[in-house]
Amino acid sequence: MTSQKVDYIVIGAGMAGLASAIRLLMFGKKVLIVEKHSIPGGLNSYYKRGKREFDVGLHALTNTVKPGEKGKPFHKILKQLRIPLENFELSPQSYSLIKFPDKTLKFTNDFNEFIESIHQQFPNDIDQFLSLVEHIKNFNEVALDNETFMAKDVVRSFIKNESLIEMIFCPLLIYGSAWENDMDFSQFVVMFKSIYFEGFARPNGGVRTIINLLTAKIESLGGEVRYKTAVTKIIEQNGAVCGVLLNNETLVECSNVLSTVGNFETKKLLNPELFVAEENIGKLSFTESIFITKEKPHTLGSDATIIFYNNRPNYLYRCPQTFIDNQSAVVCFPNNFKNDQMDEGWLRVTSMANFNLWKNLNSADKKSYLQKKEEVASENIELLKNLLPEFSGDYLFKDVFSPTTITRYTGHLGGAVYGSPDKIRSGKFPETKGLYLAGTDQGFLGIVGAMLSGISITNLYFLQNGSNE
Ligand SMILES: Cc1cc2nc3c(=O)[nH]c(=O)nc-3n(C[C@H](O)[C@H](O)[C@H](O)COP(=O)(O)OP(=O)(O)OC[C@H]3O[C@@H](n4cnc5c(N)ncnc54)[C@H](O)[C@@H]3O)c2cc1C
């Protein structure tokens, strides 16, 4: 066994880990960044099939900012990371739809259009909605000592119409809740502001643009991500972290460790032999089917960027009893951001999925697993035909990933994209001094949320001076 010593270890080169590492390197710290996969990005990553480059975790970047705007979360991130906004080459959404059986709401990056849409569809409820908006504007959602309380209770104290409530919650739940059918109110406000107030955009180069900017910054600061390097154990002594053991039999001594791999995933690393999967491991996972078509989606019948589709009166955001829930989905047409630079049409359908069913099938019978993916693709094609009147179902290429793919490439237990419902907002593990948590399970989800989490936990606990910048 070899050994080495560093000042800081960052576990995971996803959005939270990369952002944290940049901050540490900026302050001249000796930091080791370890990533078990062979490429960076984690849940927000990429892969290649033949000549085509695929994005994994990016439908849209939330928290869109316009040049000249100040003080928004995305600005704060860019300022902290010293990356100019224009380097992201953001292309705004055209519009998005929340499509339920009886009504459809439309929103854009101009919040007034959402108000207008609600006014048209729910004229009797608009004043109640506007009172909720005032409450949201005045709420400090990022305070680390906010208590957890259920968002639907708060929203019902303003809005009485359950149909409107279901429609408002739909995009916020599927883009950022680790809880079934509800969410913590602070998280609701984070998502409300980032999606409805600020809106969606996509970097022209997709996920790669974001990741390349972050990894280039790390390199320019003299840092390095060590890939294919997994932490197999976090070592503690007398209630304090003192190092980690790596899969290449290296012991790294260190008294400051930031984990971005998740709450229970970190607890498992503290105690790999004794860890027992707990109830509170997240249950929300997804499949995604990606179809490449000759025609672009606007030719096939839709200019919308994202459609939050639900075919029931209420929105069932929960782990389905079946392999996927085929009555709801998020449908993303990346071509329909305003600056389309793609040669082909891209249609992405994300469905809620049952991790255990996929896991059992995958381990029992590979052929049936692959067959099930084909069935999901067929169901998603039928859904697309509903939304795109000119779509015949023909495509040039397709790929489907399942919840087990998510666990395989990111280590998230249960394929839970939004982690566990047990968030650790303080980022501390009280029983292990020097060990901190950032990213998904600190409670700040999505690409922007994870970066913000990596930065703020690093500033707060490792760079006490940095937080005031
Ligand atoms: C299909 C899909 C669509 C999405 N769409 C959007 C979207 O449109 N907009 C948006 O904002 N967000 C979206 N997200 C969510 C977003 O990608 C994530 O919330 C965010 O990237 C989480 O970042 P993170 O750093 O917290 O965690 P992760 O990305 O999970 O990073 C953790 C890293 O730790 C590594 N790791 C795990 N265990 C170990 C170990 N033992 N040793 C070393 N390394 C380890 C993992 O490989 C991973 O790279 C989507 C996600 C998915 C899957």
Side-chain angles (χ1 to χ4, degrees), residues 249-260:
E249 298 291 298
T250 303
L251 172 71
V252 188
E253 288 177 58
C254 183
S255 53
N256 295 296
V257 175
L258 181 77
S259 169
T260 67

Side-chain angles (χ1 to χ4, degrees), residues 182-396:
D182 206 342
M183 61 208 299
D184 167 40
F185 185 67
S186 297
Q187 178 62 11
F188 171 84
V189 175
V190 168
M191 299 306 296
F192 194 101
K193 289 182 177 173
S194 65
I195 293 179
Y196 295 140
F197 282 180
E198 292 162 13
F200 295 141
R202 179 181 184 275
N204 284 338
V207 158
R208 285 168 183 76
T209 304
I210 307 173
I211 293 174
N212 291 345
L213 286 169
L214 299 178
T215 50
K217 193 78 193 181
I218 287 177
E219 272 170 40
S220 75
L221 292 164
E224 180 206 354
V225 181
R226 227 180 270 174
Y227 295 107
K228 293 190 184 169
T229 307
V231 170
T232 53
K233 187 169 171 58
I234 297 170
I235 304 162
E236 63 176 325
Q237 220 169 34
N238 304 325
V241 69
C242 58
V244 302
L245 196 61
L246 303 178
N247 58 344
N248 57 8
E249 298 291 298
T250 303
L251 172 71
V252 188
E253 288 177 58
C254 183
S255 53
N256 295 296
V257 175
L258 181 77
S259 169
T260 67
V261 306
N263 175 357
F264 291 107
E265 292 80 351
T266 305
K267 287 177 181 154
K268 190 173 174 189
L269 290 176
L270 275 166
N271 228 328
E273 300 83 16
L274 297 179
F275 179 81
V276 186
E278 295 195 28
E279 263 289 287
N280 266 357
I281 284 171
K283 293 186 177 55
L284 293 151
S285 195
F286 304 101
T287 57
E288 184 162 285
S289 303
I290 306 163
F291 303 95
I292 316 291
T293 51
K294 203 164 152 233
E295 312 279 353
K296 295 197 174 181
H298 71 92
T299 314
L300 298 173
S302 180
D303 291 329
T305 305
I306 298 178
I307 302 175
F308 297 90
Y309 170 81
N310 175 46
N311 196 28
R312 300 184 181 98
N314 53 347
Y315 180 57
L316 298 184
Y317 180 68
R318 59 172 192 195
C319 174
Q321 302 295 309
T322 45
F323 280 83
I324 63 159
D325 175 15
N326 60 11
Q327 296 300 304
S328 71
V330 182
V331 178
C332 176
F333 302 131
N335 302 89
N336 288 346
F337 285 91
K338 284 190 179 155
N339 184 8
D340 176 20
Q341 300 185 343
M342 290 174 260
D343 301 331
E344 301 171 309
W346 285 71
L347 321 177
R348 295 174 64 175
V349 185
T350 310
S351 309
M352 281 177 252
N354 182 311
F355 175 79
N356 286 331
L357 291 178
W358 284 98
K359 187 181 113 200
N360 294 341
L361 189 64
N362 194 5
S363 34
D365 178 4
K366 195 85 191 161
K367 208 170 147 204
S368 305
Y369 170 78
L370 296 174
Q371 177 56 34
K372 186 52 80 179
K373 288 217 256 181
E374 291 295 324
E375 288 171 28
V376 167
S378 305
E379 288 186 62
N380 289 159
I381 293 258
E382 290 313 307
L383 173 72
L384 284 167
K385 283 189 194 164
N386 270 335
L387 300 174
L388 298 170
E390 306 300 325
F391 182 45
S392 63
D394 291 343
Y395 54 82
L396 302 169

